[in-house]
Amino acid sequence: MSFVAEFAKIPRDKLLLDLYSCAAQDVERALVSPAGDLRSLLALLSPAAEPYIETMAQRSAALTRQRFGANLGMYLPLYVSNLCANDCDYCGFSMSNKLKRKTLNELELMAEMAIIKDRGFDSVLLVSGEHETKVGIDYFKQMLPLVKQQFSHLAMEVQPMSEDHYRQLVALGLDAVMIYQETYQPETYARHHSRGKKMDFAYRLATPDRVAAAGVDKIGLGVLLGLDDWRLDALMMGYHLDYLERRYWRTRFSISLPRLRPCTGGITPKVMLSDLGLVQMICAFRLFNQQLDISMSTRESPELRDNLLPLGITQISAGSSTQPGGYQAPDSQLDQFEISDDRSVEQVIEQMQRQGFNPVFKDWEANWITG
């Protein structure tokens, strides 16, 4: 059993029509009791909700502060490799791109971690291209213990793996897995993934089930906003989240809402998501799920990130590098994508504190969990 079977039953064409035929009264009904209601999420993501964004924003901010206080979790991506065996036309790591390839060895990894620790971070997101032969389970089994010795919280954003491989990594300290479907539209997915194992839409769609079954504490979902209609993709992610929370109720969940960014060999977005649309999406998900972690990366501009913080964001990166070895020796030829917020960690923290937020560098320890 996995979400693949559930996904096949979802009437996506009908839901797309419903999204664009919503009326003001549908939005007003949704605002009465939006928590856990997929029909309410649909209405809040619809064009009809645009005149209500200010109301949504006020309620979203209040719910976020009620659940999370003024705390914002701080994390940093740690890129270990840009090797990739897939062709994805929106990613700088795509195998057909002519760029320098690099995979960190132990010494290089230790050097990167020393810089990240010196900046105060205790939560890292291990990122790599998808190359299971050279950067697969054997590599991760070698590197994870080293990372876990330095950081309390260890998340990964790498290629999908088997349930058994995830179990092995949990035993080595893995706390969270971010696995983004990119788009929930199979036809669009096929157009953007032309070579490699990532072509298998269903295998990727079933990955969160394998992650949860392996006992990983937290799962992150996401779509790459710009590949297809963002409203429908966001709604499908809501359906996925709803399924996972009902089936794996012990697991925690987060979402990420990255917009398509320039990269080597990259494409122009099919659908442009405005800043106002991004606000609408964040608020819709916060009203739908008060407990949900919502992450914001350095893809967005400093001004926008600062303005989004009060509306529902709970996790944020700062001073990020999107290349292997990028903290020790930056090299733009190795980047996965261009970042927009290039402020230092100190600058981001100073701004957060001016806005009344508390940057949290550590809120996790395995032995804090009770049965």
Side-chain angles (χ1 to χ4, degrees):
M1 291 293 295
S2 75
F3 182 64
V4 174
E6 295 287 323
F7 181 76
K9 302 174 187 176
I10 300 174
R12 289 181 291 114
D13 290 340
K14 180 181 183 303
L15 291 176
L16 182 60
L17 290 173
D18 290 348
L19 274 166
Y20 287 93
S21 60
C22 271
Q25 56 265 36
D26 298 313
V27 179
E28 290 170 3
R29 279 195 296 269
L31 287 169
V32 173
S33 182
D37 187 331
L38 287 166
R39 291 301 301 182
S40 292
L41 179 63
L42 183 150
L44 296 175
L45 289 169
S46 73
E50 290 177 356
Y52 297 87
I53 289 179
E54 180 61 34
T55 298
M56 292 169 60
Q58 291 176 3
R59 295 187 184 183
S60 178
L63 285 171
T64 305
R65 299 288 77 78
Q66 178 183 327
R67 170 61 181 84
F68 297 93
N71 297 325
L72 285 170
M74 305 293 297
Y75 75 94
L76 208 58
L78 172 52
Y79 279 71
V80 295
S81 177
N82 63 358
L83 285 174
C84 194
N86 298 314
D87 254 334
C88 312
D89 59 11
Y90 51 80
C91 180
F93 289 177
S94 187
M95 66 182 296
S96 62
N97 284 341
K98 304 301 181 184
L99 74 158
K100 294 167 62 177
R101 303 289 177 170
K102 182 177 182 61
T103 300
L104 302 186
N105 59 34
E106 288 191 17
L107 289 177
E108 291 167 330
L109 178 68
M110 296 296 286
E112 290 286 281
M113 291 194 297
I115 294 171
I116 295 172
K117 289 292 289 186
D118 186 60
R119 295 182 182 180
F121 289 91
D122 196 51
S123 177
V124 292
L125 172 64
L126 213 64
V127 186
S128 78
E130 300 189 7
H131 197 300
E132 64 180 13
T133 303
K134 295 183 178 179
V135 192
I137 185 62
D138 291 336
Y139 177 84
F140 296 131
K141 286 171 66 175
Q142 176 187 359
M143 296 304 184
L144 251 68
L146 301 177
V147 179
K148 195 62 179 181
Q149 288 174 8
Q150 300 294 322
F151 301 97
S152 298
H153 191 265
L154 169 57
M156 293 181 69
E157 184 182 336
V158 300
Q159 68 267 19
M161 290 185 276
S162 68
E163 180 181 333
D164 177 62
H165 285 173
Y166 284 124
R167 287 189 184 278
Q168 293 181 48
L169 297 181
V170 168
L172 296 175
L174 177 63
D175 299 305
V177 170
M178 311 296 122
I179 180 71
Y180 304 147
Q181 190 62 28
E182 316 297 9
T183 175
Y184 284 87
Q185 315 315 316
E187 300 82 6
T188 302
Y189 187 95
R191 285 197 298 272
H192 292 287
H193 303 93
S194 58
R195 187 162 43 164
K197 288 194 173 183
K198 197 171 180 178
M199 294 173 64
D200 192 336
F201 178 89
Y203 184 74
R204 194 170 190 89
L205 192 61
T207 302
D209 285 274
R210 299 192 300 276
V211 174
V216 176
D217 176 73
K218 187 176 184 180
I219 299 173
L221 304 179
V223 287
L224 185 54
L225 302 165
L227 293 183
D228 209 308
D229 188 294
W230 64 265
R231 300 180 195 273
L232 183 58
D233 264 336
L235 181 60
M236 290 301 95
M237 184 167 65
Y239 271 80
H240 200 173
L241 175 65
D242 178 70
Y243 159 86
L244 290 168
E245 287 199 319
R246 286 186 284 106
R247 185 170 178 84
Y248 307 104
W249 56 271
R250 290 182 180 273
T251 306
R252 298 186 298 146
F253 296 94
S254 69
I255 62 168
S256 181
L257 305 171
R259 289 192 282 191
L260 195 59
R261 289 288 301 151
C263 68
T264 302
I267 59 170
T268 301
K270 174 183 176 182
V271 179
M272 295 300 296
L273 171 60
S274 67
D275 291 351
L276 190 64
L278 185 58
V279 169
Q280 181 180 354
M281 192 183 307
I282 291 169
C283 295
F285 272 101
R286 173 56 67 223
L287 295 177
F288 175 66
N289 190 318
Q290 186 176 344
Q291 313 300 319
L292 187 67
D293 267 320
I294 302 179
S295 299
M296 181 62 59
S297 76
T298 52
R299 285 175 179 260
E300 302 297 342
S301 70
E303 297 78 15
L304 182 61
R305 292 220 308 166
D306 294 343
N307 290 330
L308 291 176
L309 290 184
L311 302 183
I313 303 302
T314 61
Q315 303 284 326
I316 187 170
S317 57
S320 301
S321 168
T322 66
Q323 56 186 270
Y327 296 114
Q328 184 180 29
D331 184 345
S332 60
Q333 297 181 66
L334 302 176
D335 281 332
Q336 184 182 27
F337 58 85
E338 292 181 14
I339 65 173
S340 292
D341 187 350
D342 59 1
R343 292 176 295 179
S344 68
V345 178
E346 292 77 16
Q347 289 173 318
V348 172
I349 290 175
E350 182 179 345
Q351 177 60 34
M352 288 168 59
Q353 292 174 334
R354 278 201 297 264
Q355 292 179 247
F357 293 104
N358 175 37
V360 177
F361 286 89
K362 178 171 181 174
D363 66 351
W364 173 264
E365 189 75 55
N367 59 17
W368 293 347
I369 300 177
T370 57

